[in-house]
Amino acid sequence: MKIKLWGVRGSFPTSLIAKSIEEKIIAALSIAKPGDISSEESIRTFVANLPLSIKGTYGGNTTCIEVRTSSGELIIIDCGSGIINLGNELMRSEFGQGKGIANIFSTHTHWDHVHGIPFFTPMYIKGNKFNFYSPVADLRERIEYQQAKTHFPVGFDDMAASKKFFTLKPDENFYINETKLYTKSMPHPGGSYGIRIEDGDKVFVFTSDCEFNLDEIDDIRVYEDFFKNADIVVFDTQYTLQEALMDKTSWGHSSATMAIDIATEYEVKKLVLFHHDPGYSDDKLNTILANARSYINVNRKIKEDFILDIAYEGMEFEI
Ligand SMILES: [Zn+2]
Ligand SMILES: [Zn+2]
């Protein structure tokens, strides 16, 4: 199974402002030695070896994940603005000739998880087929509403590709050909659903948006089947622990420490922090990752081979 993150930001898309770019150039030049910038080749080598937060960015697009199963199925999780770049990439494949088939799993319909659909080029191409899966029973109506003439010039039904909708039951397995999937209701205002994808003995779990607070961690057993032994869990960690507990209770998101506790409890092999707050700079995300790694050092239940990482746009995994 191959996984690629096309959008990792929560709430709304963000772009780097001029001041941020200036600071990155200053940071890069501050650590450059004369030999690093003596030729174009040396400059390229120097830049390639800089940390992501200096040479690039964690990314500003909202949620979209591409999953390719070992049997060749394409599963797209959520349609935030990240789906626009995925669509541009897909147009270079059979989707450009109207021969593409994709399965779209929708966690919920908050804007940051659906607002890429009107700009998803493959959906305008006749012959392409999209199968929408979600426990949200009126998903089609919600997406159509987003593209009512008062909001967007082209209606959802005017997008020429074929669109079918399948309503799922949470806590029940369903299959897309050989691939086993399982969806779970998550604590989030208005509701949200996580998804577990099992491809042979490999397991990928995605859960965003979700708010696990300390009270609920006492009752975390109900999530055991969902998280247990996953190879990778991509988890909503929009807030710091302080924000999650004090300032932004009931806003619907978790913190890295909560995610680590859950990952540890269910023997997850790799945890990826996700759904970054749009107000967080690349430096702040570096700090969040560093703090989360410090927390691992004091968590006695953590196994030595546990891997913690933080999502960035373009991040890829193969399991
Ligand atoms: Zn969200
Ligand atoms: Zn949400």
Side-chain angles (χ1 to χ4, degrees):
M1 182 162 37
K2 289 183 181 170
I3 297 140
K4 183 168 181 181
L5 310 185
W6 290 88
V8 301
R9 194 65 66 163
S11 304
F12 56 85
T14 56
S15 60
L16 286 174
I17 59 171
K19 185 74 184 161
S20 305
I21 296 168
E22 191 179 309
E23 290 300 326
K24 286 173 190 288
I25 295 169
I26 291 168
L29 293 177
S30 301
I31 55 176
K33 298 185 185 73
D36 293 328
I37 51 172
S38 58
S39 67
E40 184 178 336
E41 194 184 347
S42 66
I43 291 170
R44 287 190 181 280
T45 305
F46 169 68
V47 170
N49 290 316
L50 288 170
L52 172 76
S53 60
I54 297 179
K55 72 177 174 189
T57 176
Y58 284 96
N61 279 304
T62 51
T63 302
C64 180
I65 314 289
E66 174 189 7
V67 179
R68 300 270 181 179
T69 68
S70 58
S71 56
E73 298 291 339
L74 168 59
I75 301 171
I76 300 168
I77 303 173
D78 277 349
C79 309
S81 63
I83 202 171
I84 301 166
N85 287 334
L86 169 59
N88 296 339
E89 175 95 355
L90 291 177
M91 287 299 289
R92 290 193 274 275
S93 69
E94 66 272 23
F95 285 88
Q97 286 94 49
K99 293 175 182 166
I101 302 173
N103 306 287
I104 298 179
F105 175 76
S106 174
T107 60
H108 66 314
T109 55
H110 283 161
W111 283 338
D112 52 324
H113 299 259
V114 294
H115 60 192
I117 293 174
F119 309 98
F120 181 50
T121 309
M123 210 164 275
Y124 286 91
I125 309 297
K126 193 168 186 210
N128 286 336
K129 294 182 176 139
F130 294 96
N131 300 314
F132 285 81
Y133 295 87
S134 180
V136 177
D138 58 345
L139 181 63
R140 181 173 195 122
E141 288 75 20
R142 294 188 191 191
I143 294 173
E144 283 171 352
Y145 176 64
Q146 176 176 240
Q147 285 174 248
K149 288 280 186 271
T150 46
H151 298 316
F152 196 71
V154 183
F156 181 65
D157 291 333
D158 298 328
M159 298 173 91
S162 141
K163 286 106 55 195
K164 288 187 178 163
F165 286 76
F166 301 90
T167 303
L168 305 173
K169 284 191 181 155
D171 299 319
E172 283 187 13
N173 294 330
F174 69 104
Y175 290 83
I176 297 176
N177 288 335
E178 321 271 276
T179 310
K180 185 166 127 185
L181 302 99
Y182 172 89
T183 176
K184 185 91 188 160
S185 177
M186 291 290 148
H188 187 65
S192 177
Y193 298 89
I195 187 158
R196 176 182 174 103
I197 302 176
E198 296 184 20
D199 184 0
D201 61 351
K202 301 298 178 190
V203 179
F204 173 62
V205 169
F206 174 83
T207 180
S208 181
D209 306 12
C210 56
E211 179 176 6
F212 288 95
N213 60 43
L214 294 182
D215 294 337
E216 270 166 291
I217 283 179
D218 294 331
D219 190 26
I220 201 69
R221 286 281 145 210
V222 294
Y223 297 97
E224 180 168 5
D225 289 348
F226 182 70
F227 288 111
K228 190 77 183 164
N229 293 325
D231 292 281
I232 298 176
V233 172
V234 172
F235 201 116
D236 174 354
T237 56
Q238 178 152 346
Y239 301 139
T240 63
L241 185 63
Q242 164 77 14
E243 287 168 337
L245 293 181
M246 306 292 289
D247 308 328
K248 294 182 176 173
T249 308
S250 303
W251 284 38
H253 304 285
S254 298
S255 70
T257 47
M258 292 173 195
I260 291 167
D261 285 347
I262 290 168
T264 310
E265 185 70 27
Y266 294 119
E267 298 179 41
V268 168
K269 296 183 184 71
K270 179 171 185 164
L271 173 68
V272 180
L273 312 179
F274 184 82
H275 203 273
H276 309 318
D277 191 282
Y280 286 178
S281 66
D282 290 314
D283 284 342
K284 172 109 179 182
L285 291 171
N286 281 346
T287 304
I288 284 177
L289 180 61
N291 288 346
R293 289 196 166 134
S294 306
Y295 179 68
I296 284 177
N297 293 334
V298 297
N299 184 325
R300 289 194 196 133
K301 282 185 171 177
I302 292 271
K303 289 193 169 175
E304 263 182 34
D305 54 357
F306 175 75
I307 300 168
L308 176 71
D309 213 334
I310 189 164
Y312 61 85
E313 218 167 288
M315 193 177 205
E316 294 181 84
F317 314 99
E318 183 161 4
I319 50 175

